[in-house]
Amino acid sequence: MVKGANVGLAALSEDVGSVMVSLGWSSATGEGDADVSVLLLDGDGKVRSDVDFCFYNNPVAGNGSVQLLGKTPTADGSEDRISFDLDAVPEEIDKVVVAASRYGGSCFGELDDLRLTLADSAGDGLVRFAVEEADEVSAVIFGELYRRSGEWKFRAVGQGYASGLAGLATDYGVDIDDDAAEEDAREQGEQGQGQEYAEEAPLPEPAGQPTAPPGSPPRPPAPARTTPPRPRRRTAPPLRRGPRRPRTAKKKVTLPRTTRKSLADNESWRSARLFPVSALKSDRERETRATSVVLSVMAQVPEFGRRLTAGFGAPAGRMETFTEVTLPHGESPRRPDGVVRVERAGKLWTALVETKTNGNALKPDQVQAYMDIAARRGYEAVITLSNDVALEGSPLVDVRIDGRRKHKVALWHLSWAEVVHQAQMLIRHEGVGNAAHAWLLQELLHYLQHENSGCHGFQNMGAAWVPVRRGIDDETLCQGDARALEVIENWERLVRQVCLRLGGELGQKVLPVQRARRGSDPGARRAELADHLCEQGRLNAEIRIEGTPGVLAITADLRTGKLRTSIEVPSAEPGYPLSRVKRLIRRLAEAPADLHIETLVDGPGAGPRGTLERLRPEPADIVPKDGAQITGFRLSLFKGMGSGRGSAETGFIRSVDEAVDRFHAQVVAQVEAPAPRRSRSEEPTG
C-alpha cells in the first residue's frame, strides 16, 4: 500500500474477525529498537479514558480486544506484534491507531525498512505498508483500523511526531504523567495502605505482583500475596491517591526471591508437588501428562493462557481445554493430544494440539490428518508443541493445503522453551492476578524444568553435527554440503533458545541479532552462513539484551574447540586514556582473572590487549602508545567447547549455555553497574 491508501479487510479475507498487525524495522548495527503503542478512539477522535492507551506499561486494552504480544526476531531485525480481536472491540470505538516511538533522543531516521504488515487469523499476509520520510521524528503513526458501515477498514498513515510518544498520546486525549517522583510517592502510599494484609501466609515460591493498568480506579489490596511484605512503621498518614495517569517512562515490577527455612527433618524429604514426575516411565506417559498439565494451567490462569494463544489469532475470552478427544477421520478416528477452545461474543475459536516430548520429532502424517480434520470441522488452527524451535522460512512439518477449501486452517508451533519462558516472565517479573494463579504457575514451571518431564528445550544438534566437525578437522567439508546447512539451522535454534532462557531469568528482552541485507531470504542467508562455516570453521551469533551497553557475541571455533563470548563496551566519558582504563578495571573488580580486555581505537589497526589478571596492577599496558583515540573496549572470555551433539555434561549445547551464563553474570552484569567512587590518588595529575 502507499501512504494515504485504504482498503476493506473483508475484501481481502474471510478470516478477519481477529487480525495480527506487525511493525518491523532493521538497523545497520542490529541494536536499533522502538516501542509499539495503540490508541482506541471514539467518534470524536479521542480516547474515552486513559485505559484506551495501550503501550508497554499497559499491554492490554479494549476489554482484551487489543494486546501487545512483544517482539519476534526476523531475518533482518525484529517485529513487534499486536493482536486485534475486531469482533470484540467495544462498539463506542470507531478507530484504532497503531504507532511506535523511540526513546533516549533517538529518531526513526536511524532505522531502516520501517514497515507494517497485517495478517488474518490464519496467518496469511493481507497488507504491507512501508513508511518513508521519517528521518527526524521520534514517533510515527503507521496505520489505523476504522469502521465504515459496520465493516473494518485499514488506512496507511505514515505520519511522524517530533514530540515523541507523550506528544502523540496527548493529541488523542491521553493524560500523560512523566513525573516519576510523584508516581513513586503514590505507590508508596498504596503499599502503606495494604499493610493490614501482611499476615497472609506466603506461597512456597515467590511470584510477580500484578500491576494495575493505567487509568484504572484504585486497586483493592489482594487477599494473598506471593511474597510477604516487610513490616514497616507508619510515620505519616498514607498519601491520598489521585487519579492515575499513564507514565511513558518504562517501569517493571519485580519481587526479590526469598529463601525460607524448610520444616523437613533432613534434605532427603521432598516437597509434595501438584504435578509429580517420579512415576513417568515412557514417552507416551510423558506426552499425556505434559499436555494435560499445560492445558489445565492455561485454562485456570487467564494471563498464561492468553499469552500462549494470542499470537495464534485466538480472541480474548473464556478458555476451556480438553485432552484425548476422539474425532472422526475416515475409517479410523483420530485422537489429538488436546483441544483449546475460546469463546468470545458467542463465537468459538478452536485449535487442535499435537504434543511431543523427550526430543521426539513431529510426525507429518499426524499433523496432516489434524489439518484436514480442522478444515472439515471449521476449526481455526492446529498447534504443535515439541522440544524443537521453529525457524522463519523453515517449517518443522510440511503439510498440504487444499486450495479448494474456503475455510483456512493456520498451523502454528510452540517449543517447550517458549512455554517455560512465558511462565517465568509472569511469575518472576510481571505478576499474575492472584496468589493461587502464581502457585499454579510455579508448580507448572517446576514440572517443565524437571529432567524427567521430557519438556526440556532444544537439546540435540542433529545427525550432521559429528560429520561436520570431522569434515572441518580434516578439511574435507566443501561449500554447498547439505550437512553444513543443517548445522547452521540447529545453531540458530540453539541461539533462539538461549535468548528465551536468559530473557525469562532476567525479565528483560533478549533477542538474536540477524545482520542480513534488507529483505533477504532466510534460506539464502542460512546457505551463505553454511558456506562461511565450511570455509572458516566457526559458528557466530549475536544477542541483544535490553539495558546492556553492547551486543553479546558468541563464537564457536570448531577447529580449536573453543567458545568465545564477548561484548564491546563504548568509552564515551571524558578523561585521560589511563583514567578510562582504570574506571573500567574498577567496574570489573569481581570479574574472572582470565578475562581478556582489548582496547578499541579510532582508526585502522587493533589496540593493545591483555588479561585482567595482568592489567589490575598495570592498567597502563592497554593504553595506546601512539596516542590513538580510545573508542571502547572488547571484553572476552574463552571456554572449552563440548564435543557431543546433545546437552549432556560433555555436550556442545550445555557448554554454550554455561559460557553465556558465566559471561553475563561475571562480566556483563558488572559493566552495567555504576563504577565505584575513585579516590583522590587515582585522579589524573598531568
Side-chain angles (χ1 to χ4, degrees), residues 262-509:
S262 173
L263 301 180
D265 279 354
N266 56 66
E267 295 182 356
S268 65
W269 287 21
R270 301 294 180 89
S271 299
R273 291 292 179 180
L274 180 64
F275 309 123
V277 292
S278 57
L280 298 174
K281 297 180 180 179
S282 68
D283 287 345
R284 182 57 185 165
E285 289 178 353
R286 290 184 178 91
E287 288 181 11
T288 302
R289 178 75 62 84
T291 305
S292 183
V293 166
V294 170
L295 293 185
S296 63
V297 176
M298 286 173 59
Q300 295 302 317
V301 184
E303 301 95 331
F304 181 63
R306 179 62 181 156
R307 185 70 66 90
L308 291 183
T309 59
F312 302 152
R318 183 172 67 93
M319 179 181 294
E320 289 189 8
T321 54
F322 309 87
T323 60
E324 299 295 329
V325 176
T326 301
L327 297 173
H329 182 64
E331 298 181 356
S332 57
R334 293 280 184 162
R335 299 180 65 188
D337 292 316
V339 176
V340 178
R341 304 201 90 172
V342 182
E343 180 189 24
R344 178 78 186 200
K347 296 182 180 180
L348 281 177
W349 181 91
T350 306
L352 304 181
V353 180
E354 172 63 10
T355 303
K356 293 295 179 185
T357 59
N358 216 35
N360 292 316
L362 295 162
K363 297 180 179 179
D365 58 334
Q366 280 186 323
V367 179
Q368 183 67 62
Y370 298 146
M371 291 288 290
D372 294 339
I373 292 172
R376 288 200 308 270
R377 300 180 70 87
Y379 296 162
E380 282 72 23
V382 172
I383 300 173
T384 56
L385 177 57
S386 74
N387 306 97
D388 214 339
V389 178
L391 300 179
E392 182 186 11
S394 180
L396 294 176
V397 179
D398 288 321
V399 296
R400 303 183 308 275
I401 304 297
D402 190 347
R404 296 171 297 179
R405 296 185 186 273
K406 294 183 64 177
H407 182 77
K408 292 184 292 184
V409 179
L411 177 62
W412 304 97
H413 179 73
L414 264 179
S415 71
W416 288 114
E418 292 174 84
V419 177
V420 168
H421 170 80
Q422 297 297 353
Q424 286 178 317
M425 292 298 293
L426 282 171
I427 64 174
R428 294 181 180 174
H429 308 290
E430 299 174 8
V432 292
N434 59 50
H437 290 173
W439 179 70
L440 278 174
L441 280 175
Q442 184 64 39
E443 289 297 293
L444 170 68
L445 192 59
H446 177 270
Y447 177 87
L448 295 178
Q449 292 181 321
H450 194 283
E451 60 182 7
N452 197 33
S453 69
C455 299
H456 47 72
F458 172 75
Q459 289 192 322
N460 194 316
M461 289 296 290
W465 175 247
V466 173
V468 166
R469 292 198 64 172
R470 289 174 179 169
I472 290 174
D473 287 341
D474 55 26
E475 299 185 2
T476 59
L477 188 66
C478 301
Q479 293 187 359
D481 194 317
R483 295 174 300 180
L485 180 59
E486 180 182 338
V487 168
I488 288 295
E489 290 180 343
N490 287 330
W491 169 248
E492 186 174 335
R493 290 186 173 96
L494 174 57
V495 172
R496 289 175 184 267
Q497 181 165 287
V498 167
C499 292
L500 288 170
R501 182 180 54 79
L502 194 58
E505 293 172 358
L506 301 176
Q508 297 172 320
K509 296 175 184 175

Side-chain angles (χ1 to χ4, degrees), residues 469 536-539 555-563 641:
R469 292 198 64 172
Q536 302 171 1
R538 291 193 296 268
L539 295 167
T555 300
D557 194 325
L558 305 188
R559 288 196 173 101
T560 63
K562 293 288 186 180
L563 274 170
M641 186 173 67

Side-chain angles (χ1 to χ4, degrees), residues 507-557:
Q508 297 172 320
K509 296 175 184 175
V510 182
L511 294 171
V513 177
Q514 303 285 9
R515 299 187 186 273
R517 293 184 297 274
R518 186 193 313 177
S520 62
D521 176 67
R525 174 177 59 83
R526 294 185 188 110
E528 183 178 352
L529 293 175
D531 289 342
H532 289 167
L533 172 62
C534 297
E535 180 182 356
Q536 302 171 1
R538 291 193 296 268
L539 295 167
N540 298 292
E542 293 177 314
I543 61 177
R544 184 170 61 251
I545 305 172
E546 182 183 27
T548 58
V551 173
L552 195 159
I554 310 168
T555 300
D557 194 325

